[in-house]
């Protein structure tokens, strides 16, 4: 089954060269947010486990991932991929001059696994008009996708 990703075209400035002309780039368009409640309902339909059990496992997975990453462990989720902490810091001229205060922030690095790499390699693309900068979040976990708050994803 072909997986078609919609994209719009956006104009961006060259931040490294202010005199360079603006260029146009593709920007993937998200159509809606799927939360864990909806994902657990979808998983329930694909196997013999009830949505409440799936939700309990997903919430426990979230807690375990946060704890593992905070301890510096690499979390590998099979063919989905792996998660690891990364750091952004200022530099020091000498190793002995580097202090923890130079660390600006931590982030989570994700490396896609076999399943996601395969999906990425087989995508097809379809251009659409630029959408608004907000994606509607689902309300109450049903698969209708209506209502709910808005999240600033583009």
């Amino acid at each position: 089954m072909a997986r078609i990703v919609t994209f719009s075209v956006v104009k961006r400035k060259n931040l490294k060269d202010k005199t360079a002309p603006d260029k146009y780039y593709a920007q993937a368009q998200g159509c809606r947010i799927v939360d864990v409640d909806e994902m657990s309902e979808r998983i329930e339909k694909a196997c013999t486990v009830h949505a409440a059990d799936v939700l309990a496992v997903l919430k426990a997975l979230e807690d375990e991932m946060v704890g593992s990453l905070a301890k510096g462990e690499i979390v590998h989720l099979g063919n989905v991929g792996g998660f690891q902490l990364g750091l952004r810091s200022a530099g020091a001229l000498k190793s002995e001059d580097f202090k923890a205060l130079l660390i600006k922030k931590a982030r989570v690095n994700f490396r896609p696994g076999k399943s996601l790499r395969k999906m990425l390699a087989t995508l097809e693309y379809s251009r659409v008009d630029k959408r608004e900068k907000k994606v509607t979040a689902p309300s109450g976990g049903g698969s209708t996708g209506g209502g709910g708050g808005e999240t600033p994803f583009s």
Side-chain angles (χ1 to χ4, degrees), residues 20-109:
D22 295 347
K23 290 187 178 179
Y24 292 86
Y25 297 89
Q27 178 173 309
Q29 295 296 305
C31 61
R32 60 188 294 274
I33 295 171
V34 180
D35 63 13
V36 294
D37 293 322
E38 184 173 344
M39 289 298 288
S40 63
E41 290 175 9
R42 290 179 181 184
I43 293 169
E44 175 186 45
K45 292 174 183 167
C47 63
T48 60
V49 181
H50 294 288
D53 297 323
V54 174
L55 185 60
V57 170
L58 291 175
K59 297 238 183 218
L61 175 64
E62 175 187 349
D63 292 342
E64 287 300 318
M65 284 184 67
V66 168
S68 294
L69 290 169
K71 290 189 280 187
E73 297 173 338
I74 299 169
V75 177
H76 193 259
L77 297 179
N79 288 330
V80 172
F83 300 82
Q84 181 178 7
L85 281 184
L87 301 175
R88 176 169 291 158
S89 70
L93 292 175
K94 298 178 184 176
S95 174
E96 56 271 10
D97 292 339
F98 191 90
K99 307 289 183 227
L101 292 173
L102 292 174
I103 298 173
K104 305 278 186 207
K105 70 180 203 176
R107 65 183 177 279
V108 176
N109 295 327

Side-chain angles (χ1 to χ4, degrees), residues 31-35 38 134-151:
C31 61
R32 60 188 294 274
I33 295 171
V34 180
D35 63 13
E38 184 173 344
K134 295 189 179 185
V135 174
T136 304
S139 63
S143 56
T144 60
E150 292 184 341
T151 304

